[in-house]
Amino acid sequence: MAGNKAVRYMGAGKVEIADLDYPKLELSSGPGVHPSNVGRKTPHGVILKTVTTNICGSDQHMVRGRTTAPEGLVLGHEITGEIVEKGPDVEFLREGDIVSVPFNIACGRCRNCKEGKTGICLTVNPDRPGSAYGYVDMGGWTGGQAEYVMVPYADFNCLKFPDRDQALEKIRDLTMLSDIFPTGYHGCYTAGVTTGSTVYIAGAGPVGLAAAASAQLLGAAVVIVGDLNADRLAQARSFGCETVDVSQGDPKDQIEQILGVPEVDCGVDAVGFEARGHGKDAAHEAPATVLNSLMDITRAGGALGIPGLYVTGDPGAADEAAKTGSLSIRLGLGWAKSHAFTTGQCPVMKYNRQLMMAILYDRVQIAKAVNAEVIPLEEAPRGYQEFDQGAAKKYVLDPHGMVASTAA
């Protein structure tokens, strides 16, 4: 039986490459696994040989020690792989298929799944609605930053690529379908981005850049990206975005210089709970800053898409309220301007097939937009370290050397 190397969280600032057992079609006990899930059979699952698996900003929150993630947790919820084994209840997939796996695990059978709300499946996580691979408080499903991984409810969850050779040729783009491309798109779609929109996206990390590319795909007239990181802002400009350096002050003033008015039609929060202040406060964490800023600069009657992560437990928060996810949000301002807000996990399956088609037919170059860099699984600790230091890259792990070249 094959072994299984994987990336594990080992405490604040620490990840390691560890040897695991080869996965089974059953949930085993381990760090973060809910006791009610131990021994759960998955005849509806498949075992994937991981083709690519990406480092995500959400992983980075855990690795920084900003969640209650237990040591030993196997990381990774952005998974693309080849089916090498399938359970007896899998009907529509075959060994050898290359598939994208949504980061949210969904049964396809509960009320929410049947309504398309796959980010808040009611059955896969005993603690709360919603689940994901390799993530804190998400039921304990083993992460995919590994050579092999088990995917449950495979017929429902897996998006099969129509042609194997084409999929491997475009794998740097297709690997983004597991999370950041649908998540960025969801942020824009729920913010109402359409033909001719003006859009402000807070955050030029991979999700923010994916949101910017999505806004262009949706037909926005002007896409403005705000951040503190000069390299990430340069990356946004590389594919036609305007940029705002929030270390220079309130983004409203810079937006007015770009548009002639200090407001936009649509706002997207791609930062989340580790937000920093603007201007002279940029050196300090201020988790409500982005949400309050977006309400200020989004026009009356506009909408906010909030794909940025907010948590219910943050041991490293700046104040006691923020440690439980309580933030000083100017809800009265949003109410007065009749803003609509959409929060929560992106329901990846709502978008991933359509975005796959956009990639396959060359309507978007998402890997170029997010500056994807392919590295071996063994170099994951370096990827985490450089990403934490603000590298303007999206690190893609290649456990089996199946990606032909690291050139973007």
Side-chain angles (χ1 to χ4, degrees), residues 295-311:
M295 285 186 280
D296 189 33
I297 64 180
T298 301
R299 69 173 180 85
L304 277 59
I306 309 173
L309 176 67
Y310 289 87
V311 295

mmCIF file of all heavy atoms in Angstrom, residues 295-311:
data_model
loop_
_atom_site.group_PDB
_atom_site.id
_atom_site.type_symbol
_atom_site.label_atom_id
_atom_site.label_comp_id
_atom_site.label_asym_id
_atom_site.label_seq_id
_atom_site.Cartn_x
_atom_site.Cartn_y
_atom_site.Cartn_z
ATOM 1 N N MET A 295 -18.899 50.155 3.599
ATOM 2 C CA MET A 295 -20.201 50.811 3.735
ATOM 3 C C MET A 295 -20.108 52.295 3.418
ATOM 4 O O MET A 295 -21.031 52.888 2.841
ATOM 5 C CB MET A 295 -20.757 50.591 5.144
ATOM 6 C CG MET A 295 -21.287 49.190 5.380
ATOM 7 S SD MET A 295 -22.090 49.005 6.997
ATOM 8 C CE MET A 295 -20.671 48.809 8.068
ATOM 9 N N ASP A 296 -18.979 52.891 3.751
ATOM 10 C CA ASP A 296 -18.790 54.316 3.511
ATOM 11 C C ASP A 296 -18.673 54.625 2.023
ATOM 12 O O ASP A 296 -19.228 55.616 1.536
ATOM 13 C CB ASP A 296 -17.540 54.783 4.257
ATOM 14 C CG ASP A 296 -17.366 56.293 4.241
ATOM 15 O OD1 ASP A 296 -18.384 57.011 4.247
ATOM 16 O OD2 ASP A 296 -16.219 56.747 4.230
ATOM 17 N N ILE A 297 -17.967 53.774 1.275
ATOM 18 C CA ILE A 297 -17.671 54.106 -0.117
ATOM 19 C C ILE A 297 -18.607 53.454 -1.131
ATOM 20 O O ILE A 297 -18.533 53.778 -2.319
ATOM 21 C CB ILE A 297 -16.213 53.738 -0.465
ATOM 22 C CG1 ILE A 297 -15.985 52.236 -0.357
ATOM 23 C CG2 ILE A 297 -15.238 54.519 0.394
ATOM 24 C CD1 ILE A 297 -14.570 51.802 -0.689
ATOM 25 N N THR A 298 -19.475 52.554 -0.680
ATOM 26 C CA THR A 298 -20.427 51.938 -1.610
ATOM 27 C C THR A 298 -21.693 52.790 -1.664
ATOM 28 O O THR A 298 -22.221 53.198 -0.639
ATOM 29 C CB THR A 298 -20.760 50.502 -1.174
ATOM 30 O OG1 THR A 298 -19.557 49.734 -1.125
ATOM 31 C CG2 THR A 298 -21.731 49.838 -2.152
ATOM 32 N N ARG A 299 -22.167 53.049 -2.864
ATOM 33 C CA ARG A 299 -23.311 53.952 -3.063
ATOM 34 C C ARG A 299 -24.560 53.446 -2.354
ATOM 35 O O ARG A 299 -24.714 52.247 -2.097
ATOM 36 C CB ARG A 299 -23.608 54.108 -4.551
ATOM 37 C CG ARG A 299 -24.174 52.841 -5.215
ATOM 38 C CD ARG A 299 -24.598 53.091 -6.638
ATOM 39 N NE ARG A 299 -25.138 51.875 -7.251
ATOM 40 C CZ ARG A 299 -26.410 51.480 -7.131
ATOM 41 N NH1 ARG A 299 -27.276 52.205 -6.429
ATOM 42 N NH2 ARG A 299 -26.816 50.373 -7.722
ATOM 43 N N ALA A 300 -25.447 54.362 -2.047
ATOM 44 C CA ALA A 300 -26.736 53.990 -1.479
ATOM 45 C C ALA A 300 -27.459 53.064 -2.453
ATOM 46 O O ALA A 300 -27.508 53.318 -3.659
ATOM 47 C CB ALA A 300 -27.581 55.233 -1.207
ATOM 48 N N GLY A 301 -27.990 51.971 -1.917
ATOM 49 C CA GLY A 301 -28.660 50.979 -2.748
ATOM 50 C C GLY A 301 -27.727 49.949 -3.325
ATOM 51 O O GLY A 301 -28.163 49.039 -4.034
ATOM 52 N N GLY A 302 -26.425 50.071 -3.029
ATOM 53 C CA GLY A 302 -25.457 49.100 -3.513
ATOM 54 C C GLY A 302 -25.378 47.878 -2.613
ATOM 55 O O GLY A 302 -26.168 47.715 -1.672
ATOM 56 N N ALA A 303 -24.418 47.012 -2.908
ATOM 57 C CA ALA A 303 -24.307 45.764 -2.151
ATOM 58 C C ALA A 303 -22.858 45.459 -1.840
ATOM 59 O O ALA A 303 -21.939 45.913 -2.535
ATOM 60 C CB ALA A 303 -24.925 44.604 -2.934
ATOM 61 N N LEU A 304 -22.658 44.688 -0.774
ATOM 62 C CA LEU A 304 -21.336 44.250 -0.343
ATOM 63 C C LEU A 304 -21.258 42.740 -0.405
ATOM 64 O O LEU A 304 -22.103 42.039 0.183
ATOM 65 C CB LEU A 304 -21.048 44.694 1.094
ATOM 66 C CG LEU A 304 -20.536 46.122 1.354
ATOM 67 C CD1 LEU A 304 -21.520 47.164 0.844
ATOM 68 C CD2 LEU A 304 -20.284 46.323 2.837
ATOM 69 N N GLY A 305 -20.277 42.231 -1.127
ATOM 70 C CA GLY A 305 -19.950 40.813 -1.082
ATOM 71 C C GLY A 305 -18.818 40.621 -0.096
ATOM 72 O O GLY A 305 -17.815 41.340 -0.154
ATOM 73 N N ILE A 306 -18.968 39.661 0.820
ATOM 74 C CA ILE A 306 -17.995 39.520 1.916
ATOM 75 C C ILE A 306 -17.452 38.088 1.944
ATOM 76 O O ILE A 306 -17.811 37.276 2.812
ATOM 77 C CB ILE A 306 -18.641 39.901 3.267
ATOM 78 C CG1 ILE A 306 -19.322 41.275 3.156
ATOM 79 C CG2 ILE A 306 -17.600 39.919 4.387
ATOM 80 C CD1 ILE A 306 -20.131 41.674 4.372
ATOM 81 N N PRO A 307 -16.597 37.749 0.966
ATOM 82 C CA PRO A 307 -15.977 36.419 1.002
ATOM 83 C C PRO A 307 -14.808 36.325 1.966
ATOM 84 O O PRO A 307 -14.348 35.223 2.266
ATOM 85 C CB PRO A 307 -15.505 36.220 -0.445
ATOM 86 C CG PRO A 307 -15.214 37.602 -0.927
ATOM 87 C CD PRO A 307 -16.244 38.483 -0.258
ATOM 88 N N GLY A 308 -14.291 37.472 2.451
ATOM 89 C CA GLY A 308 -13.224 37.456 3.452
ATOM 90 C C GLY A 308 -13.666 36.712 4.701
ATOM 91 O O GLY A 308 -14.819 36.811 5.119
ATOM 92 N N LEU A 309 -12.755 35.968 5.308
ATOM 93 C CA LEU A 309 -13.087 35.089 6.427
ATOM 94 C C LEU A 309 -13.236 35.852 7.736
ATOM 95 O O LEU A 309 -12.365 36.646 8.109
ATOM 96 C CB LEU A 309 -11.991 34.029 6.578
ATOM 97 C CG LEU A 309 -12.120 33.071 7.766
ATOM 98 C CD1 LEU A 309 -13.330 32.166 7.603
ATOM 99 C CD2 LEU A 309 -10.841 32.250 7.916
ATOM 100 N N TYR A 310 -14.334 35.587 8.433
ATOM 101 C CA TYR A 310 -14.532 36.050 9.807
ATOM 102 C C TYR A 310 -14.815 34.821 10.667
ATOM 103 O O TYR A 310 -15.509 33.902 10.235
ATOM 104 C CB TYR A 310 -15.681 37.067 9.881
ATOM 105 C CG TYR A 310 -15.291 38.386 9.257
ATOM 106 C CD1 TYR A 310 -15.460 38.604 7.892
ATOM 107 C CD2 TYR A 310 -14.688 39.387 10.007
ATOM 108 C CE1 TYR A 310 -15.055 39.792 7.295
ATOM 109 C CE2 TYR A 310 -14.290 40.581 9.425
ATOM 110 C CZ TYR A 310 -14.475 40.775 8.068
ATOM 111 O OH TYR A 310 -14.059 41.952 7.489
ATOM 112 N N VAL A 311 -14.246 34.803 11.873
ATOM 113 C CA VAL A 311 -14.307 33.601 12.707
ATOM 114 C C VAL A 311 -15.014 33.887 14.033
ATOM 115 O O VAL A 311 -15.138 35.039 14.451
ATOM 116 C CB VAL A 311 -12.892 33.045 12.990
ATOM 117 C CG1 VAL A 311 -12.233 32.567 11.703
ATOM 118 C CG2 VAL A 311 -12.008 34.089 13.672
#
